[in-house]
Amino acid sequence: MTELWVKNACVIDPIRGINGEIIDIAIRDGRIVESVSDRAEVIDAQRCLTLPGGIDSHTHVCGTKVNFGRYMSPEDMRAGRTRRHGKMHVTSGYYVPTTFGNSYRYSAMGYTTLLEGAMAPLEARHTHEEFTATPHQDMMANTLFDGNWAVMDAVREKNIKKAAAVVGWTLNAVKGYGIKLTNPGGTEAWGWGEDLTSIHEMVPHFEVTPAEIISTMIRANELLRLPHSVHLHCNNLGKPGNYQTTLDTFELVPDLNPHRQTLYATHVQFHAYGGGTWRNICSKAEEITRSINSKPQIVMDMGQIMFCRTMTMTADGPMEFNLHCLHHNKWSNHDVELETGSGIIPVTYSKKSAVNCIMWAIGLELALLTKNPWQCLLETDNPNGAPFVKYPEVIGLLMSKRYRDEECATLHADTEKRTSLCALEREMDWHDIAVMTRAGQAKALGIINQGKGHLGIGAEADIAIYPIRTDTVDPAREYRKVVEGFQKTRYTIKRGRVVSRHGEIVVDGANATFWANAKIPEDLRVDNDPEFIRRFQEFYTVRMSNYPVQDLYLPRGRRVDTEAFT
Ligand SMILES: [Zn+2]
């Protein structure tokens, strides 16, 4: 039995309605309890800001495309090097660090749970190997279904139950957590040398549209009662004028679940552009947030970009080709048979580029114009918009108009003309930030009842204690203290153990991988369907019996059971 007692903690726990109370937290065997014995180890938080462990609901840290990013940037391996030191393994890399590098830096920032944004089912084994090698954060995999042939067949047949059965079988086979749609239908079209420019255009050879894929999958997701909603990267990412596609997509979303959103729209900054060319691109954040503010069934995340060099990586193959044509930089393109694809290219976001400055402003506008912080979560689509180590700067910008103004003064002059950022007065408070970095994520991912995102009795003891005294720091003026404070916790506690102290890693890890197991009625199971099996054997280059990920790939797997439709 191990016991820990955190005393004098200034707790903000939005899920439990606690906002800045001085509380003691008792922990036994990894969970929060009522009280501990006098033998418990004691940590005095000294009235510092104490939050549930951070949760990143959209990041790219594990799997094949992350490793392609590493192959493509040997120069990055020379950045961010740290030596082996105590319990810490060697790390390297800045925008695509090694697995240990990612985990340690998240730990130093107080993050304890991560959702990998995109896992191709066929390449799941590699993703799980890296999940297992990640020392400290609990992991989940968003599983790609945007170009899944069996799903598109079910969509064409207007058979929601069959689409749900395919998803349920696949998630169970590859130990995935939720449904990810990346440019639905578009990457498949790209595999045939074509591209889609609207959600009502047909995917070649399948006679379905992106709109039909999205609508069917939303309903299939709810039939399966999956903990998370459909997680969507909208069509037409990164194209001037794409905000209309985003608004059209939002109009498709019914309100089907009383406990959480029905659609999670990711990195919306990349989907909020007006204008028709790169010369007249402008912000449409006001239009996008007007829609979000009227639709509680949608949650989005920011997709903030920051000025730095980084690596873009996505299952959106055609988008990366467009980006390659723009930058003429090295490019990788990949097809995952019958399922999806991907593209990877390095980019540098520069203050000299009007387009980059406008993108930067749009991300902040989205957050500041969304009335309810539970509907706009903080992330950078790591590493696409910026590596996650930039989150503290994003927090500083959201909390301080002065910081934003100082930054704006250094940007391309067009930023002020083509965005409304400079006119926005709103400054987020500590509670808003707690929602946007953990509580909102826990709710959106459906993991509150797994003991995540809050500090109630029975919760997993994932806790971040930051060196910030909210009673003495004025974030609007002293934004540098805010940025510094969020860069390194005093203590990051993972399942009741201190894993990081003042940025130093002090223990080896033992993370867990969450995956969803939807129980499908016997008569609908696709592994009993001769036609599904025949097509699988005909088109895949792997045998159906070799497809499922064996249990040994998840030594610390945590199955989340759902009782699907009957
Ligand atoms: Zn992403």
Side-chain angles (χ1 to χ4, degrees), residues 391-451:
Y391 289 0
E393 288 173 52
V394 181
I395 293 172
L397 289 162
L398 292 174
M399 296 187 89
S400 169
K401 163 105 171 109
R402 181 187 288 194
Y403 186 15
R404 294 198 296 271
D405 286 346
E406 284 177 20
E407 276 295 289
C408 283
T410 68
L411 301 186
H412 195 285
D414 283 7
T415 318
E416 198 171 343
K417 285 181 240 156
R418 296 198 250 157
T419 78
S420 63
L421 182 66
C422 303
L424 299 180
E425 299 286 337
R426 184 175 177 189
E427 292 176 328
M428 301 263 181
D429 62 21
W430 304 106
H431 187 272
D432 293 333
I433 298 301
V435 170
M436 292 178 73
T437 55
R438 49 264 291 157
Q441 279 82 351
K443 185 173 179 220
L445 293 173
I447 53 176
I448 292 175
N449 55 15
Q450 299 294 325

Side-chain angles (χ1 to χ4, degrees), residues 58 60 180 267 381 384:
H58 191 103
H60 300 279
K180 173 76 185 296
H267 42 65
D381 192 17
N384 286 290

Side-chain angles (χ1 to χ4, degrees), residues 1-53:
M1 186 169 82
T2 55
E3 293 186 318
L4 184 63
W5 189 44
V6 180
K7 62 175 191 177
N8 290 324
C10 175
V11 172
I12 299 180
D13 181 353
I15 288 171
R16 292 195 307 143
I18 295 172
N19 189 6
E21 286 173 45
I22 304 298
I23 293 177
D24 297 339
I25 305 167
I27 299 163
R28 183 180 307 119
D29 293 335
R31 291 201 176 260
I32 294 175
V33 293
E34 292 276 4
S35 61
V36 283
S37 70
D38 49 15
R39 290 185 302 279
E41 187 191 331
V42 178
I43 288 176
D44 186 351
Q46 296 176 325
R47 301 170 88 88
C48 283
L49 176 63
T50 301
L51 303 176

